[in-house]
Amino acid sequence: MRTQSLRDRSALALAGLLLAGAPTASTALADSRPAAAPARGKPYVETRLFFGTARPDGGPAVTDRQFTAFVDREVTPDFPDGLTVQNGRGQWRDAHGTIEKERSYELILLYPESAAKGGDRKIEEIRRAYEKAFAQESVGRVDAHARVDF
């Protein structure tokens, strides 16, 4: 019995030594991953605004010409360094619980983190101006931190 116990312990010790030297799956994966790219650019805030075009009061939808004029008048003066506008299709549940599907615009703004406090105030003014001008219930907003290099 003592011989069997000694053999079992020897076999377990040998298996442990063999396994300790074997690379694990996570080690093998880590060795095959490319090195991370160095951080580039400066810290910025990326703000995305979502503008619907259907009017809850049943009026005509906001046209491309009207939206472009709005951007020229309300956005460009506060963000003259650049912006991006993309056309989209969206949906959301309105205040009455109805799911509205509509053509929309996504406005993307990038500005230095150092200007975030002033940028926030300006963006809220843009949102309120659009809601008022086109009888909208809301303008969606998403903010994210980014590293930006031009």
Side-chain angles (χ1 to χ4, degrees), residues 116-133:
K117 188 172 184 177
D120 178 68
R121 179 186 51 76
K122 293 172 185 177
I123 289 165
E124 288 305 300
E125 289 172 3
I126 292 165
R127 293 175 72 199
R128 299 296 84 82
Y130 189 82
E131 291 167 3
K132 183 178 178 184

Side-chain angles (χ1 to χ4, degrees), residues 6-26:
L6 186 56
R7 257 192 245 145
D8 290 345
R9 280 195 269 174
S10 296
L12 285 174
L14 181 60
L17 287 172
L18 291 173
L19 287 175
T24 63
S26 63

Side-chain angles (χ1 to χ4, degrees), residues 44-50 79 107 109-111 116 119-120 123-124 127 140-146:
Y44 269 62
V45 175
E46 175 183 11
T47 297
R48 293 174 179 261
L49 298 177
F50 299 92
F79 295 92
L107 174 71
L109 300 168
L110 296 169
Y111 47 96
D120 178 68
I123 289 165
E124 288 305 300
R127 293 175 72 199
R141 178 178 178 172
V142 176
D143 292 302
H145 294 281

Side-chain angles (χ1 to χ4, degrees), residues 89-109:
R89 299 245 4 119
Q91 71 180 44
W92 80 303
R93 187 182 312 270
D94 69 14
H96 304 292
T98 304
I99 294 178
E100 299 288 342
K101 295 181 180 188
E102 61 189 316
R103 191 172 52 82
S104 61
Y105 298 99
E106 178 183 17
L107 174 71
I108 303 168
L109 300 168

